[in-house]
mmCIF file of all heavy atoms in Angstrom:
data_model
loop_
_atom_site.group_PDB
_atom_site.id
_atom_site.type_symbol
_atom_site.label_atom_id
_atom_site.label_comp_id
_atom_site.label_asym_id
_atom_site.label_seq_id
_atom_site.Cartn_x
_atom_site.Cartn_y
_atom_site.Cartn_z
ATOM 1 N N LYS A 1 -147.091 158.711 90.717
ATOM 2 C CA LYS A 1 -146.672 159.436 91.970
ATOM 3 C C LYS A 1 -145.141 159.630 91.858
ATOM 4 O O LYS A 1 -144.409 158.829 91.365
ATOM 5 C CB LYS A 1 -147.001 158.776 93.254
ATOM 6 C CG LYS A 1 -146.554 159.547 94.586
ATOM 7 C CD LYS A 1 -147.047 158.828 95.741
ATOM 8 C CE LYS A 1 -148.491 158.911 95.994
ATOM 9 N NZ LYS A 1 -148.866 158.542 97.359
ATOM 10 N N VAL A 2 -144.693 160.924 92.304
ATOM 11 C CA VAL A 2 -143.290 161.154 92.438
ATOM 12 C C VAL A 2 -143.128 161.645 94.025
ATOM 13 O O VAL A 2 -143.827 162.474 94.421
ATOM 14 C CB VAL A 2 -142.836 162.315 91.551
ATOM 15 C CG1 VAL A 2 -141.477 162.637 91.874
ATOM 16 C CG2 VAL A 2 -143.133 161.969 90.130
ATOM 17 N N PHE A 3 -142.185 160.846 94.631
ATOM 18 C CA PHE A 3 -141.915 161.126 96.025
ATOM 19 C C PHE A 3 -140.410 161.687 96.177
ATOM 20 O O PHE A 3 -139.490 160.996 95.865
ATOM 21 C CB PHE A 3 -142.180 159.863 96.826
ATOM 22 C CG PHE A 3 -142.083 160.088 98.430
ATOM 23 C CD1 PHE A 3 -143.275 160.059 99.078
ATOM 24 C CD2 PHE A 3 -140.926 160.388 98.919
ATOM 25 C CE1 PHE A 3 -143.322 160.269 100.470
ATOM 26 C CE2 PHE A 3 -140.939 160.620 100.368
ATOM 27 C CZ PHE A 3 -142.178 160.531 101.117
ATOM 28 N N GLY A 4 -140.374 162.822 96.611
ATOM 29 C CA GLY A 4 -139.007 163.610 96.867
ATOM 30 C C GLY A 4 -138.636 163.651 98.305
ATOM 31 O O GLY A 4 -139.343 164.309 99.053
ATOM 32 N N HIS A 5 -137.584 162.769 98.604
ATOM 33 C CA HIS A 5 -137.240 162.686 100.001
ATOM 34 C C HIS A 5 -136.169 163.738 100.220
ATOM 35 O O HIS A 5 -135.504 164.324 99.304
ATOM 36 C CB HIS A 5 -136.775 161.351 100.315
ATOM 37 C CG HIS A 5 -135.570 160.860 99.672
ATOM 38 N ND1 HIS A 5 -134.391 161.343 100.066
ATOM 39 C CD2 HIS A 5 -135.328 159.993 98.604
ATOM 40 C CE1 HIS A 5 -133.339 160.791 99.365
ATOM 41 N NE2 HIS A 5 -133.871 160.046 98.407
ATOM 42 N N GLY A 6 -135.837 163.927 101.611
ATOM 43 C CA GLY A 6 -134.829 164.933 101.935
ATOM 44 C C GLY A 6 -133.331 164.481 101.810
ATOM 45 O O GLY A 6 -133.118 163.333 101.422
ATOM 46 N N PHE A 7 -132.509 165.285 102.322
ATOM 47 C CA PHE A 7 -131.064 164.941 102.287
ATOM 48 C C PHE A 7 -130.667 164.493 103.642
ATOM 49 O O PHE A 7 -131.228 164.915 104.758
ATOM 50 C CB PHE A 7 -130.247 166.167 101.942
ATOM 51 C CG PHE A 7 -130.423 166.540 100.435
ATOM 52 C CD1 PHE A 7 -130.157 167.764 100.012
ATOM 53 C CD2 PHE A 7 -130.897 165.644 99.505
ATOM 54 C CE1 PHE A 7 -130.237 168.197 98.698
ATOM 55 C CE2 PHE A 7 -131.012 165.947 98.265
ATOM 56 C CZ PHE A 7 -130.735 167.181 97.746
ATOM 57 N N LEU A 8 -129.610 163.802 103.756
ATOM 58 C CA LEU A 8 -128.850 163.438 105.060
ATOM 59 C C LEU A 8 -127.654 164.360 105.325
ATOM 60 O O LEU A 8 -126.915 164.635 104.410
ATOM 61 C CB LEU A 8 -128.432 161.989 105.032
ATOM 62 C CG LEU A 8 -129.562 160.810 104.933
ATOM 63 C CD1 LEU A 8 -128.841 159.519 104.865
ATOM 64 C CD2 LEU A 8 -130.410 160.897 106.112
ATOM 65 N N THR A 9 -127.608 164.848 106.513
ATOM 66 C CA THR A 9 -126.340 165.539 107.048
ATOM 67 C C THR A 9 -125.774 164.594 108.087
ATOM 68 O O THR A 9 -126.317 163.541 108.580
ATOM 69 C CB THR A 9 -126.750 166.895 107.595
ATOM 70 O OG1 THR A 9 -127.776 166.743 108.563
ATOM 71 C CG2 THR A 9 -127.224 167.877 106.446
ATOM 72 N N ARG A 10 -124.558 164.995 108.627
ATOM 73 C CA ARG A 10 -123.938 164.281 109.644
ATOM 74 C C ARG A 10 -123.621 165.238 110.720
ATOM 75 O O ARG A 10 -122.749 166.194 110.489
ATOM 76 C CB ARG A 10 -122.648 163.516 109.090
ATOM 77 C CG ARG A 10 -121.938 162.806 110.078
ATOM 78 C CD ARG A 10 -120.746 161.985 109.518
ATOM 79 N NE ARG A 10 -120.128 161.109 110.502
ATOM 80 C CZ ARG A 10 -119.052 160.330 110.310
ATOM 81 N NH1 ARG A 10 -118.518 160.303 109.101
ATOM 82 N NH2 ARG A 10 -118.594 159.712 111.331
ATOM 83 N N GLU A 11 -124.081 164.940 112.028
ATOM 84 C CA GLU A 11 -123.797 165.711 113.183
ATOM 85 C C GLU A 11 -123.997 167.245 112.793
ATOM 86 O O GLU A 11 -123.280 168.131 113.218
ATOM 87 C CB GLU A 11 -122.337 165.510 113.656
ATOM 88 C CG GLU A 11 -122.061 164.080 113.856
ATOM 89 C CD GLU A 11 -122.704 163.386 114.991
ATOM 90 O OE1 GLU A 11 -123.312 164.033 115.751
ATOM 91 O OE2 GLU A 11 -122.659 162.136 115.032
ATOM 92 N N GLY A 12 -125.059 167.462 111.975
ATOM 93 C CA GLY A 12 -125.531 168.854 111.740
ATOM 94 C C GLY A 12 -124.783 169.437 110.662
ATOM 95 O O GLY A 12 -125.044 170.634 110.218
ATOM 96 N N GLN A 13 -123.832 168.733 109.807
ATOM 97 C CA GLN A 13 -123.078 169.280 108.772
ATOM 98 C C GLN A 13 -123.300 168.530 107.560
ATOM 99 O O GLN A 13 -123.578 167.320 107.583
ATOM 100 C CB GLN A 13 -121.547 169.224 109.136
ATOM 101 C CG GLN A 13 -120.983 170.229 110.119
ATOM 102 C CD GLN A 13 -119.456 170.214 110.160
ATOM 103 O OE1 GLN A 13 -118.912 169.178 110.302
ATOM 104 N NE2 GLN A 13 -118.829 171.376 109.920
ATOM 105 N N LYS A 14 -123.255 169.222 106.391
ATOM 106 C CA LYS A 14 -123.404 168.648 105.146
ATOM 107 C C LYS A 14 -122.150 167.732 104.909
ATOM 108 O O LYS A 14 -121.130 168.021 105.217
ATOM 109 C CB LYS A 14 -123.431 169.623 104.005
ATOM 110 C CG LYS A 14 -123.517 169.123 102.614
ATOM 111 C CD LYS A 14 -123.723 170.122 101.570
ATOM 112 C CE LYS A 14 -123.753 169.571 100.180
ATOM 113 N NZ LYS A 14 -123.762 170.601 99.089
ATOM 114 N N MET A 15 -122.449 166.529 104.416
ATOM 115 C CA MET A 15 -121.386 165.598 104.183
ATOM 116 C C MET A 15 -120.587 165.929 102.889
ATOM 117 O O MET A 15 -121.221 166.173 101.897
ATOM 118 C CB MET A 15 -121.832 164.109 104.074
ATOM 119 C CG MET A 15 -122.160 163.503 105.411
ATOM 120 S SD MET A 15 -122.637 161.789 105.483
ATOM 121 C CE MET A 15 -124.421 161.947 105.164
ATOM 122 N N GLY A 16 -119.280 165.875 102.932
ATOM 123 C CA GLY A 16 -118.495 166.117 101.740
ATOM 124 C C GLY A 16 -117.078 165.629 101.948
ATOM 125 O O GLY A 16 -116.490 165.550 103.126
ATOM 126 N N LYS A 17 -116.425 165.336 100.855
ATOM 127 C CA LYS A 17 -114.976 164.915 100.879
ATOM 128 C C LYS A 17 -113.950 165.872 101.485
ATOM 129 O O LYS A 17 -113.118 165.681 102.198
ATOM 130 C CB LYS A 17 -114.506 164.628 99.390
ATOM 131 C CG LYS A 17 -115.080 163.400 98.744
ATOM 132 C CD LYS A 17 -114.562 163.088 97.567
ATOM 133 C CE LYS A 17 -115.177 161.908 96.833
ATOM 134 N NZ LYS A 17 -114.663 161.468 95.501
ATOM 135 N N SER A 18 -114.313 167.278 101.246
ATOM 136 C CA SER A 18 -113.363 168.328 101.599
ATOM 137 C C SER A 18 -113.543 168.402 103.200
ATOM 138 O O SER A 18 -112.592 168.805 103.870
ATOM 139 C CB SER A 18 -113.859 169.593 101.043
ATOM 140 O OG SER A 18 -115.171 169.929 101.327
ATOM 141 N N LEU A 19 -114.624 168.101 103.804
ATOM 142 C CA LEU A 19 -114.890 168.007 105.230
ATOM 143 C C LEU A 19 -114.338 166.742 105.858
ATOM 144 O O LEU A 19 -114.200 166.706 107.172
ATOM 145 C CB LEU A 19 -116.320 168.303 105.603
ATOM 146 C CG LEU A 19 -116.956 169.704 105.202
ATOM 147 C CD1 LEU A 19 -118.374 169.688 105.462
ATOM 148 C CD2 LEU A 19 -116.194 170.810 105.974
ATOM 149 N N GLY A 20 -114.198 165.740 105.051
ATOM 150 C CA GLY A 20 -113.810 164.503 105.609
ATOM 151 C C GLY A 20 -114.776 163.822 106.406
ATOM 152 O O GLY A 20 -114.376 163.019 107.392
ATOM 153 N N ASN A 21 -116.084 164.068 106.269
ATOM 154 C CA ASN A 21 -117.079 163.479 107.110
ATOM 155 C C ASN A 21 -118.033 162.579 106.336
ATOM 156 O O ASN A 21 -119.189 162.401 106.796
ATOM 157 C CB ASN A 21 -117.842 164.676 107.815
ATOM 158 C CG ASN A 21 -118.586 165.483 106.943
ATOM 159 O OD1 ASN A 21 -118.472 165.387 105.789
ATOM 160 N ND2 ASN A 21 -119.602 166.211 107.541
ATOM 161 N N VAL A 22 -117.689 162.071 105.251
ATOM 162 C CA VAL A 22 -118.583 161.223 104.385
ATOM 163 C C VAL A 22 -118.691 159.927 105.068
ATOM 164 O O VAL A 22 -117.685 159.384 105.524
ATOM 165 C CB VAL A 22 -118.060 161.070 103.004
ATOM 166 C CG1 VAL A 22 -118.820 160.000 102.190
ATOM 167 C CG2 VAL A 22 -118.048 162.354 102.229
ATOM 168 N N LEU A 23 -119.851 159.437 105.223
ATOM 169 C CA LEU A 23 -120.120 158.194 105.757
ATOM 170 C C LEU A 23 -120.195 157.131 104.612
ATOM 171 O O LEU A 23 -120.969 157.065 103.676
ATOM 172 C CB LEU A 23 -121.503 158.136 106.383
ATOM 173 C CG LEU A 23 -121.626 158.592 107.798
ATOM 174 C CD1 LEU A 23 -123.040 158.934 108.338
ATOM 175 C CD2 LEU A 23 -120.860 157.725 108.803
ATOM 176 N N ASP A 24 -119.253 156.202 104.709
ATOM 177 C CA ASP A 24 -119.139 155.105 103.708
ATOM 178 C C ASP A 24 -120.176 154.004 103.929
ATOM 179 O O ASP A 24 -120.053 153.428 105.010
ATOM 180 C CB ASP A 24 -117.702 154.579 103.728
ATOM 181 C CG ASP A 24 -117.409 153.579 102.715
ATOM 182 O OD1 ASP A 24 -118.277 153.022 102.153
ATOM 183 O OD2 ASP A 24 -116.246 153.278 102.436
ATOM 184 N N PRO A 25 -121.072 153.717 103.054
ATOM 185 C CA PRO A 25 -122.071 152.732 103.289
ATOM 186 C C PRO A 25 -121.358 151.373 103.498
ATOM 187 O O PRO A 25 -122.004 150.425 104.192
ATOM 188 C CB PRO A 25 -122.907 152.710 102.089
ATOM 189 C CG PRO A 25 -122.190 153.551 101.003
ATOM 190 C CD PRO A 25 -121.203 154.387 101.721
ATOM 191 N N GLU A 26 -120.265 151.144 102.777
ATOM 192 C CA GLU A 26 -119.631 149.768 102.963
ATOM 193 C C GLU A 26 -119.016 149.575 104.381
ATOM 194 O O GLU A 26 -119.204 148.540 104.963
ATOM 195 C CB GLU A 26 -118.517 149.614 101.839
ATOM 196 C CG GLU A 26 -119.098 149.519 100.453
ATOM 197 C CD GLU A 26 -117.943 149.334 99.452
ATOM 198 O OE1 GLU A 26 -117.339 148.148 99.525
ATOM 199 O OE2 GLU A 26 -117.691 150.122 98.669
ATOM 200 N N LEU A 27 -118.422 150.670 104.905
ATOM 201 C CA LEU A 27 -117.918 150.607 106.301
ATOM 202 C C LEU A 27 -119.032 150.583 107.311
ATOM 203 O O LEU A 27 -119.002 149.750 108.332
ATOM 204 C CB LEU A 27 -117.170 151.976 106.476
ATOM 205 C CG LEU A 27 -116.492 152.066 107.917
ATOM 206 C CD1 LEU A 27 -115.584 151.025 108.141
ATOM 207 C CD2 LEU A 27 -115.990 153.430 107.983
ATOM 208 N N LEU A 28 -120.116 151.334 106.968
ATOM 209 C CA LEU A 28 -121.277 151.200 107.932
ATOM 210 C C LEU A 28 -121.871 149.728 108.022
ATOM 211 O O LEU A 28 -122.215 149.249 109.130
ATOM 212 C CB LEU A 28 -122.384 152.102 107.465
ATOM 213 C CG LEU A 28 -122.639 153.468 107.978
ATOM 214 C CD1 LEU A 28 -123.776 154.156 107.291
ATOM 215 C CD2 LEU A 28 -122.795 153.461 109.468
ATOM 216 N N LEU A 29 -122.035 149.031 106.888
ATOM 217 C CA LEU A 29 -122.506 147.738 106.870
ATOM 218 C C LEU A 29 -121.575 146.837 107.540
ATOM 219 O O LEU A 29 -121.987 145.994 108.408
ATOM 220 C CB LEU A 29 -122.615 147.304 105.423
ATOM 221 C CG LEU A 29 -123.119 145.784 105.180
ATOM 222 C CD1 LEU A 29 -124.614 145.771 105.786
ATOM 223 C CD2 LEU A 29 -123.318 145.602 103.678
#
């Protein structure tokens, strides 16, 4: 089986360095 999951956005926006809205998993933890 191959299971393809979706993507995560943040507050309705795609996350990216240029937008400055990347969620850091280390900070989250």
